[in-house]
Amino acid sequence: MSRIVYVNGDYVPEEEARVSVFDRGFLFADAVYEVTTVLGGKLVDFPGHMARLARSLDELDMAHPADDATLLGIHHEMVARNGLTEGLIYLQVTRGAADRDFLYPEAAEPTLVLFTQEKPLVDTPAARAGISVITLPDRRWARRDIKTVQLLYPSMAKMAAKRAGAGDAWMVEDGKVTEGTSNNAWIVTRDGRLVTRDLSPAILAGITRAAVMRYAREAQMTVEERAFTPEEAREAAEAFVTSASTFVLPVVAIDGATLGDGRPGPVAQRLRALYIEESRKAAL
Ligand code: PDD
């Protein structure tokens, strides 16, 4: 069945959706994006995603295509028109279409595109069994705090992980894990502390990361924001990743080293349940 896609003010069947070949998103990856979870037909962490979108746009001197209330209305309309109960809404803003030139065009209208992806997120084989990860050098650009569509290196890294029989890759820079290819990386130390890298241009400030950190602290868990090495991760009691599309996803092996008994650990499972429960309550 054809989806209804949003393009610059219009809701159209996906076959009819069009963007210019001169769009700077296409020519220069001059575009930013957000992925918002839909659970029970409602939006999870929506204000956080819109705040990060605004920041990404500002960092690139890009025009805002609409205010938050309008964007909320468009998201709700996409949920309704596509009958979406569980899945994702992808939103992309580009600087717009202009004759090819490295310099930003003076007058281009931003392009705004949204589409939905229906998929089970709560009950998945990966969540039940956990995933294994490999480590790879982080070869992305140095402004990973901006959520741009420059995703070729993460695609290459995910392909390398797949070829190695792993579920994902954790990227390493200067001897420390930065993050997963499309998620934030966490470990649980043997004395029960949660560790995830501190925010900087080296990583994306995950909206799920922030929510999980808040819920963990409310549940009296200790969270340390600092970088860790692949060696420390391999020695950890547990590990997991967080993102809008995976929530809290247990990691059960790192570079072939099994964590614990090789099954999702109690802390990751508890945080996953907590995150899903709280997200359902707060969803818009
Ligand atoms: N990725 N780090 C990177 C590099 C990411 O691409 C993502 C999200 C995250 C987690 O951010 P959040 O919790 O706000 O989803 C961290 C999305 C899901 C994607 O590209 O599909």
Side-chain angles (χ1 to χ4, degrees), residues 93-110:
V93 183
T94 85
R95 200 181 301 276
D99 195 23
R100 186 175 184 274
D101 185 348
F102 285 80
L103 296 175
Y104 300 165
E106 277 183 12
E109 284 291 311

Side-chain angles (χ1 to χ4, degrees), residues 33-37 45 49 52 88 90 117 140 144 147-148 151 154 171 179-185 203-210 242-247 275:
Y33 75 108
E34 283 296 329
V35 176
T36 304
T37 303
D45 289 332
H49 286 288
R52 186 173 63 192
L88 304 168
Y90 176 90
Q117 290 182 303
R140 296 173 299 163
R144 303 157 197 153
K147 197 165 170 60
T148 74
L151 296 175
M171 296 177 285
E179 58 188 331
T181 57
S182 62
N183 46 61
N184 291 111
I203 65 167
L204 184 74
I207 303 305
T208 318
R209 173 190 178 280
T242 55
S243 76
S245 49
T246 61
F247 308 151
Y275 177 77

Side-chain angles (χ1 to χ4, degrees), residues 162-225:
K162 187 178 178 192
R163 281 193 292 270
D168 201 5
W170 279 10
M171 296 177 285
V172 178
E173 187 171 62
D174 299 332
K176 303 278 174 57
V177 173
T178 52
E179 58 188 331
T181 57
S182 62
N183 46 61
N184 291 111
W186 299 63
I187 57 172
V188 184
T189 63
R190 290 184 185 223
D191 57 1
R193 284 168 294 128
L194 300 170
V195 183
T196 192
R197 192 172 173 126
D198 50 305
L199 296 182
S200 75
I203 65 167
L204 184 74
I207 303 305
T208 318
R209 173 190 178 280
V212 168
M213 195 172 289
R214 198 167 63 244
Y215 300 144
R217 284 181 172 144
E218 281 166 14
Q220 313 305 323
M221 299 183 195
T222 304
V223 184
E224 277 176 25
E225 288 182 82

Side-chain angles (χ1 to χ4, degrees), residues 4 15 37 60 81 89 91 98 120 145 153 160 164 198 204 241 268:
I4 297 297
E15 300 77 17
T37 303
L60 296 172
R81 288 189 188 232
I89 300 190
L91 171 156
D145 55 315
Y153 186 70
D198 50 305
L204 184 74
V241 295

